[in-house]
Amino acid sequence: MMAADLASTPVTGLRVQACGDCHVANFGGFATPERRLVFDINDFDETLPAPWEWDVKRLATSVVLAMREAGFGERHSRDVTRRSVETYRMRMHVYASMTAAGVWYSHLDLNILRKDAKTAAAKRKWQRLIEKATARDSAHEFPKFTVVRKDRPPRIVDRPPLITHPADVARINKHVRRIFERYRKTLTNERRIVFDRYELVDVARKIVGVGSVGTRCAVALLMAGPHDPLVLQFKEAGRSVLEPYAGPSRYENQGQRVVIGQRMLQSASDVFLGWARDDSGCDFYFRQLRDMKMRIDLESMTKADWVEYAELCGWALARAHARTGDPAHIAGYLGKKPVFDAAIEKFAAAYADQTE
């Protein structure tokens, strides 16, 4: 619905690789291939080249809605929203002054959260979140996610209705193995070397987020040894909701659209990202499940937490847009005065009212 509404609003004509579903719950921390924790956008199901303004408006609206839901007053909600947009504008000016390679290599280290926290309590909170995220790799999650049976391969634990094994396991496993062979071909040669050390031992269906209910999603357990697990999630990829308004993707496979868009927008992406199409013509994308991801409870954040978090979201979005668009032209339009910030703050409050 918002894609249709945004399509009728004014745009500058400058396009970027848009996230497409840019709201505050779609940001967070995760591990780079070098096992460094960074803060970035983490959902790309709707990514597509589109006007940069659409992501900014959706992010700003989500700040207002999330803070209202958490019980903050209208003044606080609008103040924090403006801070997120102001950060986007100011960071875009910074990226406009950098080299193209410098923009591409830039990233937001998660230690920024701890370092820039305004209070000692906030510093301790971010430190705990970082420590928990660091521990959440496949090896750590393996005992909670599986059951080990004597003389038999490990098995994913059923947790109905969220995770279940299909009744026709043998047929599904044969189907999944064909998909995996196609997915393997989308990995680069050096990543196939690692992937080929693992053997597929179990697959289960998985229920995912509200926006994806009704789509096919599954988790797969692969093992390279008794204590060497790899857990992958593969998820159905449909056409982007932006497509009717921004134009079709250049990629025939919608899983490829998601993966390439993610690689464009994130400062570092999962080494096992890939895509495939099954025999029925359904597209999927693959990624690791729960690889050092940071969980941020938006409902428990204080106003000070919200200010820091919203500014980080604005910064991460500016970095993503600067990588795939023209930061100088966008910065030139934004200007150095807070006119744009005020306009988006007003839009976000009005659209939040409409959403409610």
Side-chain angles (χ1 to χ4, degrees), residues 3-16:
D5 288 337
L6 288 172
S8 67
T9 62
V11 294
T12 57
L14 303 173
R15 289 164 71 95
V16 298

PDB file of all heavy atoms in Angstrom, residues 3-16:
ATOM      1  N   ALA A   3       3.902   1.541  -1.123  1.00  0.00           N
ATOM      2  CA  ALA A   3       4.554   1.694  -2.432  1.00  0.00           C
ATOM      3  C   ALA A   3       3.647   2.446  -3.387  1.00  0.00           C
ATOM      4  O   ALA A   3       4.090   3.339  -4.126  1.00  0.00           O
ATOM      5  CB  ALA A   3       4.923   0.320  -2.988  1.00  0.00           C
ATOM      6  N   ALA A   4       2.360   2.093  -3.389  1.00  0.00           N
ATOM      7  CA  ALA A   4       1.401   2.778  -4.268  1.00  0.00           C
ATOM      8  C   ALA A   4       1.256   4.243  -3.878  1.00  0.00           C
ATOM      9  O   ALA A   4       1.178   5.130  -4.746  1.00  0.00           O
ATOM     10  CB  ALA A   4       0.048   2.073  -4.205  1.00  0.00           C
ATOM     11  N   ASP A   5       1.232   4.513  -2.570  1.00  0.00           N
ATOM     12  CA  ASP A   5       1.104   5.898  -2.113  1.00  0.00           C
ATOM     13  C   ASP A   5       2.356   6.714  -2.437  1.00  0.00           C
ATOM     14  O   ASP A   5       2.269   7.869  -2.866  1.00  0.00           O
ATOM     15  CB  ASP A   5       0.841   5.934  -0.606  1.00  0.00           C
ATOM     16  CG  ASP A   5      -0.561   5.460  -0.252  1.00  0.00           C
ATOM     17  OD1 ASP A   5      -1.442   5.518  -1.128  1.00  0.00           O
ATOM     18  OD2 ASP A   5      -0.762   5.025   0.893  1.00  0.00           O
ATOM     19  N   LEU A   6       3.538   6.123  -2.212  1.00  0.00           N
ATOM     20  CA  LEU A   6       4.785   6.840  -2.493  1.00  0.00           C
ATOM     21  C   LEU A   6       4.926   7.166  -3.970  1.00  0.00           C
ATOM     22  O   LEU A   6       5.501   8.198  -4.336  1.00  0.00           O
ATOM     23  CB  LEU A   6       5.981   6.000  -2.035  1.00  0.00           C
ATOM     24  CG  LEU A   6       6.193   5.883  -0.522  1.00  0.00           C
ATOM     25  CD1 LEU A   6       7.284   4.858  -0.222  1.00  0.00           C
ATOM     26  CD2 LEU A   6       6.549   7.234   0.085  1.00  0.00           C
ATOM     27  N   ALA A   7       4.400   6.301  -4.825  1.00  0.00           N
ATOM     28  CA  ALA A   7       4.521   6.517  -6.269  1.00  0.00           C
ATOM     29  C   ALA A   7       3.848   7.794  -6.723  1.00  0.00           C
ATOM     30  O   ALA A   7       4.185   8.334  -7.782  1.00  0.00           O
ATOM     31  CB  ALA A   7       3.942   5.316  -7.020  1.00  0.00           C
ATOM     32  N   SER A   8       2.902   8.300  -5.922  1.00  0.00           N
ATOM     33  CA  SER A   8       2.197   9.529  -6.294  1.00  0.00           C
ATOM     34  C   SER A   8       2.825  10.776  -5.690  1.00  0.00           C
ATOM     35  O   SER A   8       2.345  11.886  -5.931  1.00  0.00           O
ATOM     36  CB  SER A   8       0.728   9.433  -5.854  1.00  0.00           C
ATOM     37  OG  SER A   8       0.643   9.426  -4.432  1.00  0.00           O
ATOM     38  N   THR A   9       3.898  10.616  -4.901  1.00  0.00           N
ATOM     39  CA  THR A   9       4.536  11.773  -4.274  1.00  0.00           C
ATOM     40  C   THR A   9       5.673  12.295  -5.142  1.00  0.00           C
ATOM     41  O   THR A   9       6.207  11.575  -5.980  1.00  0.00           O
ATOM     42  CB  THR A   9       5.079  11.408  -2.875  1.00  0.00           C
ATOM     43  OG1 THR A   9       6.073  10.383  -3.006  1.00  0.00           O
ATOM     44  CG2 THR A   9       3.970  10.913  -1.962  1.00  0.00           C
ATOM     45  N   PRO A  10       6.059  13.565  -4.962  1.00  0.00           N
ATOM     46  CA  PRO A  10       7.117  14.162  -5.807  1.00  0.00           C
ATOM     47  C   PRO A  10       8.470  13.479  -5.598  1.00  0.00           C
ATOM     48  O   PRO A  10       8.801  13.069  -4.485  1.00  0.00           O
ATOM     49  CB  PRO A  10       7.173  15.622  -5.333  1.00  0.00           C
ATOM     50  CG  PRO A  10       5.893  15.859  -4.606  1.00  0.00           C
ATOM     51  CD  PRO A  10       5.503  14.545  -4.012  1.00  0.00           C
ATOM     52  N   VAL A  11       9.247  13.365  -6.674  1.00  0.00           N
ATOM     53  CA  VAL A  11      10.608  12.836  -6.596  1.00  0.00           C
ATOM     54  C   VAL A  11      11.530  13.716  -7.433  1.00  0.00           C
ATOM     55  O   VAL A  11      11.079  14.429  -8.327  1.00  0.00           O
ATOM     56  CB  VAL A  11      10.705  11.376  -7.092  1.00  0.00           C
ATOM     57  CG1 VAL A  11       9.944  10.443  -6.168  1.00  0.00           C
ATOM     58  CG2 VAL A  11      10.192  11.237  -8.518  1.00  0.00           C
ATOM     59  N   THR A  12      12.818  13.634  -7.147  1.00  0.00           N
ATOM     60  CA  THR A  12      13.801  14.455  -7.859  1.00  0.00           C
ATOM     61  C   THR A  12      14.210  13.851  -9.195  1.00  0.00           C
ATOM     62  O   THR A  12      14.811  14.528 -10.027  1.00  0.00           O
ATOM     63  CB  THR A  12      15.079  14.601  -7.008  1.00  0.00           C
ATOM     64  OG1 THR A  12      15.581  13.283  -6.716  1.00  0.00           O
ATOM     65  CG2 THR A  12      14.800  15.340  -5.716  1.00  0.00           C
ATOM     66  N   GLY A  13      13.919  12.561  -9.373  1.00  0.00           N
ATOM     67  CA  GLY A  13      14.379  11.879 -10.577  1.00  0.00           C
ATOM     68  C   GLY A  13      15.709  11.167 -10.385  1.00  0.00           C
ATOM     69  O   GLY A  13      16.194  10.505 -11.297  1.00  0.00           O
ATOM     70  N   LEU A  14      16.307  11.306  -9.197  1.00  0.00           N
ATOM     71  CA  LEU A  14      17.554  10.614  -8.883  1.00  0.00           C
ATOM     72  C   LEU A  14      17.214   9.255  -8.290  1.00  0.00           C
ATOM     73  O   LEU A  14      16.403   9.149  -7.374  1.00  0.00           O
ATOM     74  CB  LEU A  14      18.376  11.425  -7.880  1.00  0.00           C
ATOM     75  CG  LEU A  14      18.720  12.856  -8.307  1.00  0.00           C
ATOM     76  CD1 LEU A  14      19.394  13.594  -7.152  1.00  0.00           C
ATOM     77  CD2 LEU A  14      19.612  12.847  -9.534  1.00  0.00           C
ATOM     78  N   ARG A  15      17.831   8.205  -8.832  1.00  0.00           N
ATOM     79  CA  ARG A  15      17.505   6.850  -8.394  1.00  0.00           C
ATOM     80  C   ARG A  15      18.719   6.177  -7.751  1.00  0.00           C
ATOM     81  O   ARG A  15      19.861   6.505  -8.052  1.00  0.00           O
ATOM     82  CB  ARG A  15      17.000   6.014  -9.583  1.00  0.00           C
ATOM     83  CG  ARG A  15      15.614   6.452 -10.048  1.00  0.00           C
ATOM     84  CD  ARG A  15      15.313   5.907 -11.444  1.00  0.00           C
ATOM     85  NE  ARG A  15      15.093   4.476 -11.466  1.00  0.00           N
ATOM     86  CZ  ARG A  15      13.905   3.872 -11.397  1.00  0.00           C
ATOM     87  NH1 ARG A  15      12.812   4.598 -11.290  1.00  0.00           N
ATOM     88  NH2 ARG A  15      13.812   2.557 -11.456  1.00  0.00           N
ATOM     89  N   VAL A  16      18.415   5.230  -6.865  1.00  0.00           N
ATOM     90  CA  VAL A  16      19.428   4.431  -6.184  1.00  0.00           C
ATOM     91  C   VAL A  16      18.938   2.984  -6.201  1.00  0.00           C
ATOM     92  O   VAL A  16      17.828   2.697  -6.641  1.00  0.00           O
ATOM     93  CB  VAL A  16      19.622   4.884  -4.718  1.00  0.00           C
ATOM     94  CG1 VAL A  16      20.116   6.316  -4.636  1.00  0.00           C
ATOM     95  CG2 VAL A  16      18.304   4.731  -3.936  1.00  0.00           C
TER      96      VAL A  16
END
